[in-house]
Amino acid sequence: MTDKPWTPGQPLALRELALEAPPSVRDQIAAIGSGEDLCFRSDGRCLALADYTGCGLVFFLINRVDPAEGPRVVVSQAVWLTSPELIDPHGVSFLGDHHLVVGNRSGHLIIYRLGEDHNGLPHSLTPLKIIPCGEGFLLHGPGSLDARALSPDCYELLVCSNWSDSVSRFRLHITDEIRVLGEDLLFRRWIDLPDGIDIAPQGRWVATSSHYTQSVLLHDTQEWLSPHTDPQGVLRGLAYPHGVRFSHDGKFLFVADAGAPYVHIYHQPDGDWRGIHDPLLSALTMEESLFRRGQINPQEGGPKGLTIDPSGRILVTCCKLQPLAFFDLAGFTASIVRPPGLCEIASSGSDQQEVGSLAVRLELELQQRHAASAHQLAENQEHLNRSTRSREHLAEELEAILRSRSWGLTAPLRWTSRRLGRLRR
């Protein structure tokens, strides 16, 4: 990473950190079915990953080392845990160091107590609280989620409902038991399949990725929020956004793009995310060939889960063909010089805010129409591809029949049958 300030026009990429791990841990990483979300414990030593297709959770004991030959990540242990309640786990977040909340797209919202070994790596899951989900409940298809501590025993938890296109808020009190102090539907307008969510470290801003509108919505918690209010900001320049994370100072936003081999990086120097924002840069996080292998449709192939360690020095991504990748953030934000013109919507003054809100709404309408057209084109292309594959398969089968020995042996019978048919007529 260069020590000189970066400006547009200069090449810059997130440097992937070398991974040091014993064979057993590498086998555990390779066995991950499809990582959808991940998060760090507060000490930065334990990383939790939601394995969607494996219906389990994977915990890693990690450490960053910076020797003279270059920084690397050491993953010394890994454990895969499952529980009957884990059904398509899509979102994970620690509640303190000893509890974990999991959103299950085809199940419920579960809060576990973690039993730990002498190294601090979880070795058991004990469900303490099951919040029912489904039609008729506040949550339907709970997926990505994020939590922040309000006090040592109280947490605010935001949960995406994948099948009802909304975000809900829970206030939890955790001691020997877990009590839900309150719950409400926070916002839903402009959301179409929420795939990732993050609360800024200061608690003011909430970023929610909206899959089918190809945007990230930004809500200011200091404003009055309801299911019908518009977001105060929006990120554009995305294919199919998934995991989102604010930097620790709240001035950068990192977005994993499931429809591209990139993590998009946005920058707002004052941390005020009102208005329309273009990416500062898009960092390549996987080889193009690997991305193409995983792109079974336009919405897949790129990074999905994304998180940043408590020190702010490591960014981690996960997806089906790249189960775990670590990138160097040390000194990264300090090397950035923001150019003018990335966001032209003013964020102060009542008149300017009103103009900014209108611009955001118009931008969202534009993104919605564009995304709908892109989705329809993708569906048409997939239908055409299926038809082409079907014709090719039939042609191969016919060629195989014509070349087969049985086809040759039955030729006289087919000739005789045709002759008898003509005689009967």
Side-chain angles (χ1 to χ4, degrees):
M1 189 71 64
T2 178
D3 294 328
K4 296 180 180 179
W6 176 90
T7 54
Q10 295 177 315
L12 181 68
L14 291 175
R15 177 173 58 183
E16 186 168 359
L17 293 169
L19 174 63
E20 180 180 312
S24 60
V25 172
R26 291 187 178 276
D27 290 343
Q28 195 73 266
I29 294 173
I32 295 171
S34 177
E36 293 284 339
D37 191 22
L38 27 70
C39 64
F40 277 97
R41 196 171 57 194
S42 63
D43 61 2
R45 292 272 290 142
C46 182
L47 176 68
L49 181 146
D51 184 354
Y52 184 79
T53 56
C55 288
L57 302 172
V58 191
F59 296 89
F60 302 95
L61 201 61
I62 78 165
N63 186 36
R64 176 186 168 126
V65 294
D66 292 271
E69 61 269 21
R72 65 181 185 274
V73 171
V74 178
V75 183
S76 56
Q77 295 182 56
V79 60
W80 187 87
L81 299 177
T82 189
S83 174
E85 302 85 13
L86 292 174
I87 309 172
D88 299 339
H90 190 275
V92 289
S93 183
F94 279 97
L95 301 172
D97 291 340
H98 307 292
H99 297 85
L100 189 81
V101 58
V102 183
N104 295 275
R105 266 193 174 177
S106 301
H108 304 295
L109 186 68
I110 316 292
I111 301 175
Y112 292 99
R113 177 186 289 123
L114 303 174
E116 298 176 356
D117 62 16
H118 65 282
N119 291 317
L121 191 68
H123 63 74
S124 65
L125 300 172
T126 303
L128 294 185
K129 186 74 174 180
I130 298 177
I131 298 177
C133 306
E135 293 187 21
F137 292 94
L138 181 61
L139 297 176
H140 187 197
S144 298
L145 44 82
D146 192 34
R148 71 183 184 106
L150 303 176
S151 70
D153 298 326
C154 292
Y155 294 85
E156 179 184 56
L157 174 66
L158 302 187
V159 186
C160 296
S161 286
N162 291 130
W163 310 139
S164 57
D165 299 322
S166 60
V167 173
S168 299
R169 175 173 54 191
F170 295 81
R171 286 166 292 279
L172 306 173
H173 184 257
I174 300 179
T175 53
D176 292 335
E177 62 177 8
I178 297 174
R179 291 189 297 134
V180 178
L181 303 179
E183 57 183 57
D184 62 311
L185 182 62
L186 195 58
F187 42 79
R188 75 185 327 161
R189 185 168 170 79
W190 299 108
I191 296 175
D192 195 350
L193 187 60
D195 248 348
I197 190 167
D198 191 45
I199 307 170
Q202 298 78 15
R204 177 178 175 181
W205 290 94
V206 177
T208 309
S209 62
S210 179
H211 180 88
Y212 284 120
T213 60
Q214 301 176 316
S215 57
V216 172
L217 311 182
L218 295 152
H219 289 85
D220 185 353
T221 60
Q222 293 182 355
E223 300 283 342
W224 182 75
L225 297 177
S226 81
H228 307 293
T229 54
D230 291 323
Q232 285 73 39
V234 60
L235 307 185
R236 63 186 180 186
L238 301 150
Y240 290 97
H242 205 276
V244 293
R245 282 293 184 276
F246 286 95
S247 61
H248 293 343
D249 60 5
K251 297 179 181 180
F252 288 84
L253 249 175
F254 298 83
V255 184
D257 196 332
Y262 299 108
V263 166
H264 304 283
I265 302 169
Y266 297 79
H267 184 212
Q268 190 62 11
D270 60 1
D272 189 334
W273 289 94
R274 294 176 183 275
I276 303 166
H277 304 269
D278 293 311
L280 177 68
L281 63 96
S282 298
L284 191 69
T285 58
M286 60 195 309
E287 294 181 0
E288 184 76 19
S289 58
L290 185 64
F291 167 69
R292 294 300 175 193
R293 278 174 50 203
Q295 197 179 32
I296 56 175
N297 61 60
Q299 306 168 40
E300 302 284 342
K304 287 193 167 184
L306 181 149
T307 193
I308 298 172
D309 83 311
S311 74
R313 299 191 304 157
I314 304 173
L315 182 142
V316 193
T317 64
C318 64
C319 65
K320 187 176 181 63
L321 291 188
Q322 193 179 57
L324 206 57
F326 299 89
F327 299 91
D328 189 10
L329 282 187
F332 171 80
T333 55
S335 70
I336 296 297
V337 174
R338 176 189 166 88
L342 279 181
C343 178
E344 299 179 359
I345 303 300
S347 59
S348 62
S350 57
D351 292 340
Q352 291 173 324
Q353 287 186 15
E354 186 174 346
V355 172
S357 298
L358 177 60
V360 167
R361 193 177 308 119
L362 292 174
E363 175 64 25
L364 286 166
E365 291 176 354
L366 178 65
Q367 288 188 4
Q368 190 177 58
R369 290 195 296 270
H370 177 269
S373 299
H375 187 62
Q376 186 61 54
L377 285 171
E379 284 189 341
N380 293 343
Q381 184 61 48
E382 180 59 26
H383 179 72
L384 179 62
N385 292 342
R386 284 198 300 267
S387 299
T388 301
R389 289 194 296 268
S390 178
R391 287 195 299 271
E392 290 174 349
H393 180 66
L394 289 173
E396 290 173 358
E397 286 188 336
L398 180 59
E399 184 69 19
I401 290 172
L402 294 175
R403 291 180 178 178
S404 67
R405 185 168 180 268
S406 60
W407 181 263
L409 291 174
T410 58
L413 295 176
R414 293 195 301 276
W415 182 84
T416 302
S417 176
R418 287 196 297 272
R419 293 287 295 175
L420 288 173
R422 292 194 189 100
L423 290 173
R424 288 176 184 151
R425 287 197 294 271

